[in-house]
Amino acid sequence: MNKVVTDLLSRKSFIFSVVVIAFFVILALAAPILTSYNNPYSISQQFVAAPYAVPSWATLFPQYRSLPPNVHLTLTGSGGNEVNSTYIRVVVPPGGTENVSFPIKWNWSHPYNVIISFNLLAPDTTGFNVNLYLNNLNIMTLSPIPITPTVQVKPGTVNHVMFNSESINPSNSPYVNSLPFQDQPLASYEFPSAALPKPGLYYLVVSFQNTGNSKETFLISNPQFSSLGFAYGRLGTDDNGGSVFSEFIYGARFDLYLSLVASALIIGIGLIIGLLAGYIGGFTDLTLNALTDFFLLIPGLPLLIVLISIFDATGVIVNVNKALIILLIISFLSWPGTAKIIRGQTLSLRNRTFVEASRALGEGKFRILFRHIVPNLMGILFAQLAYDVPGVILAESGLDFLGLGIINFPTWGNMLGFATNNISFVNGFAWWWVLPPGIGIILLSTAFYYFGTAMLDVLSPYKLRGE
């Protein structure tokens, strides 16, 4: 055993493979700790930042330096009388207007959206209006009388007011209502660049107008300002604002689990058929070898695509887990190569001296198989397991890339597929979305190949016996 370990550790390719495999395994196992988003494809976990947001560290480069992160601020104002750390009292004389200004120090280019929220205790009368201005744009008017483009508030009660630039339209925003008709449909998209176009000091002004004949008092909480930025997290976001880092690590988790289970099934089927064909021989060998040759002639990926398409069309996958169907089909179509290799090695081993001696001592077939043949196949089995893992990952990723596999949960294949389909909608190449799954597939496949090659060489029965 020490000789085997020493031989393995002397190979740089083996050390590389172990480090890479261990990295992805740890990443997959630690996924729930590393991110709180366990399925960024679900609607509730989208828009954690702006769509196509670059990784936060990318702002070190000049072309991304001005991109804003997600911003959350509690604004403090000047004007009115501070009741406590949360509320401001504003007293407005009859026919008068009082303004409260809330400065916003902005250090970036325009954000993806603008959300402003606060609580307003309005007087118990209908003779008032409250106007919101951001960068001198009249973004919202609050009134107890529902007249377009105002937003109605209830007198005498606390109203929770929210302005969201993504939902503005001519009926709820004077800013949109004042635009030319042809520009109004794009107002929600254009508003952030009009309100916060570049770094600078901007003001949110809340203007209280008393149209009645008596003094009125308003209470307003400090507004909460938030916006989604174009720089986010370790790997940015996809076209729906989902975390690419979360997609990547949960994709690694899924692909590793599926490939290891499928590879174990492939090894199991191939081992049984190869052992029986190679050791028993005769008609059994002829039949099993013919069956293996038949499956080897079938083009794997095209048949996989056809079968998945049939299951989709017939609705079978509605009632059965799609990942399970893919796992079973890949395993069912991938065992012949392993069976051929096991059969050939078994044919060689069954005529060797130690097997003949065991047979002469009266040992049964199954005892000989599992005590003498299988231990001498361990190097091949480890190698085949390692060789099958990247094959399964590539097959499953190919299906997902084509949109025939898993689409409601992150995998490296569907990440590549979605990124490719949506690349024409962004201004440039979304490298932070495309490269991680591509590099992951290449690294993991290469690592398992080197791992399998080292195991096959070191655990060769001839080397173990010093031949």
Side-chain angles (χ1 to χ4, degrees):
M1 180 59 70
N2 290 336
K3 182 178 181 301
V4 171
V5 174
T6 302
D7 197 354
L8 287 172
L9 293 179
S10 67
R11 299 166 183 266
K12 293 180 180 179
S13 61
F14 176 78
I15 295 174
F16 163 79
S17 67
V18 170
V19 170
V20 172
I21 294 170
F23 170 76
F24 283 108
V25 169
I26 293 171
L27 197 67
L29 293 175
I33 300 172
L34 295 174
T35 177
S36 58
Y37 305 110
N38 58 6
N39 183 9
Y41 290 175
S42 65
I43 295 176
S44 62
Q45 296 182 20
Q46 295 176 353
F47 292 99
V48 297
Y52 303 110
V54 304
S56 295
W57 51 265
T59 55
L60 295 173
F61 301 104
Q63 64 268 40
Y64 302 122
R65 191 165 293 159
S66 65
L67 295 180
N70 289 349
V71 175
H72 302 280
L73 301 172
T74 298
L75 306 181
T76 55
S78 58
N81 298 309
E82 187 175 295
V83 177
N84 52 39
S85 60
T86 304
Y87 278 88
I88 297 173
R89 178 187 292 110
V90 181
V91 180
V92 185
T97 301
E98 291 289 334
N99 296 331
V100 179
S101 298
F102 299 91
I104 302 172
K105 183 70 172 68
W106 191 254
N107 299 316
W108 311 275
S109 59
H110 72 84
Y112 175 73
N113 65 352
V114 173
I115 298 175
I116 299 169
S117 63
F118 57 87
N119 291 328
L120 173 68
L121 176 58
D124 193 10
T125 178
T126 58
F128 68 89
N129 291 308
V130 180
N131 289 283
L132 272 66
Y133 297 88
L134 180 58
N135 194 19
N136 297 319
L137 302 175
N138 187 191
I139 61 175
M140 179 181 279
T141 296
L142 307 175
S143 173
I145 303 173
I147 301 175
T148 302
T150 64
V151 175
Q152 186 178 15
V153 292
K154 293 181 179 180
T157 62
V158 176
N159 298 268
H160 181 70
V161 179
M162 175 176 287
F163 169 84
N164 188 336
S165 64
E166 294 181 85
S167 59
I168 57 175
N169 56 64
S171 66
N172 63 16
S173 174
Y175 163 73
V176 181
N177 191 263
S178 66
L179 295 174
F181 179 78
Q182 66 272 17
D183 295 336
Q184 291 179 0
L186 294 176
S188 60
Y189 177 78
E190 298 288 349
F191 175 79
S193 59
L196 301 169
K198 59 184 179 179
L201 182 63
Y202 299 92
Y203 289 91
L204 170 68
V205 177
V206 183
S207 179
F208 299 88
Q209 182 179 10
N210 182 2
T211 59
N213 297 320
S214 59
K215 180 177 67 176
E216 300 294 351
T217 301
F218 299 81
L219 282 179
I220 182 174
S221 66
N222 291 328
Q224 302 295 315
F225 174 94
S226 62
S227 64
L228 297 181
F230 290 100
Y232 175 81
R234 299 176 182 89
L235 291 177
T237 63
D238 61 13
D239 60 317
N240 290 315
S243 169
V244 172
F245 177 73
S246 300
E247 295 172 11
F248 177 71
I249 59 177
Y250 272 97
R253 187 187 182 102
F254 177 84
D255 284 350
L256 274 172
Y257 176 78
L258 181 76
S259 59
L260 288 172
V261 174
S263 298
L265 286 175
I266 293 168
I267 293 297
I269 298 170
L271 177 63
I272 293 171
I273 292 178
L275 280 175
L276 293 176
Y279 189 77
I280 297 175
F283 180 75
T284 301
D285 181 27
L286 183 65
T287 303
L288 294 177
N289 201 35
L291 179 66
T292 304
D293 288 338
F294 171 76
F295 275 94
L296 280 173
L297 292 174
I298 299 175
L301 186 58
L303 179 61
L304 186 60
I305 292 173
V306 170
L307 290 175
I308 292 295
S309 300
I310 291 173
F311 287 140
D312 264 333
T314 57
V316 172
I317 293 181
V318 174
N319 301 316
V320 182
N321 187 288
K322 194 170 189 178
L324 178 61
I325 293 288
I326 293 173
L327 184 150
L328 293 176
I329 292 176
I330 291 176
S331 302
F332 184 71
L333 296 176
S334 304
W335 60 266
T338 301
K340 278 284 188 183
I341 295 171
I342 297 298
R343 173 185 175 273
Q345 192 65 22
T346 303
L347 285 172
S348 172
L349 289 170
R350 74 175 185 176
N351 295 320
R352 296 186 69 83
T353 306
F354 65 94
V355 176
E356 293 288 352
S358 299
R359 194 180 294 122
L361 290 172
E363 292 188 8
K365 290 181 179 179
F366 285 103
R367 181 177 174 81
I368 292 173
L369 280 174
F370 291 102
R371 185 176 177 83
H372 301 292
I373 303 293
V374 172
N376 282 281
L377 296 174
M378 292 308 295
I380 294 174
L381 294 178
F382 274 114
Q384 281 302 119
L385 180 66
Y387 292 153
D388 286 335
V389 167
V392 173
I393 290 176
L394 291 172
E396 187 270 333
S397 296
L399 282 177
D400 294 347
F401 179 83
L402 295 172
L404 298 172
I406 310 298
I407 59 173
N408 57 359
F409 186 83
T411 71
W412 286 349
N414 62 36
M415 285 180 69
L416 286 171
F418 292 145
T420 303
N421 290 336
N422 289 283
I423 200 168
S424 59
F425 293 98
V426 294
N427 184 20
F429 175 56
W431 51 266
W432 59 90
W433 189 11
V434 176
L435 293 182
I439 293 174
I441 290 173
I442 293 171
L443 279 178
L444 201 56
S445 299
T446 304
F448 271 107
Y449 172 80
Y450 282 135
F451 182 84
T453 301
M455 297 300 287
L456 179 62
D457 191 17
V458 172
L459 295 180
S460 165
Y462 307 106
K463 274 205 167 190
L464 291 176
R465 291 195 298 270
E467 298 179 17

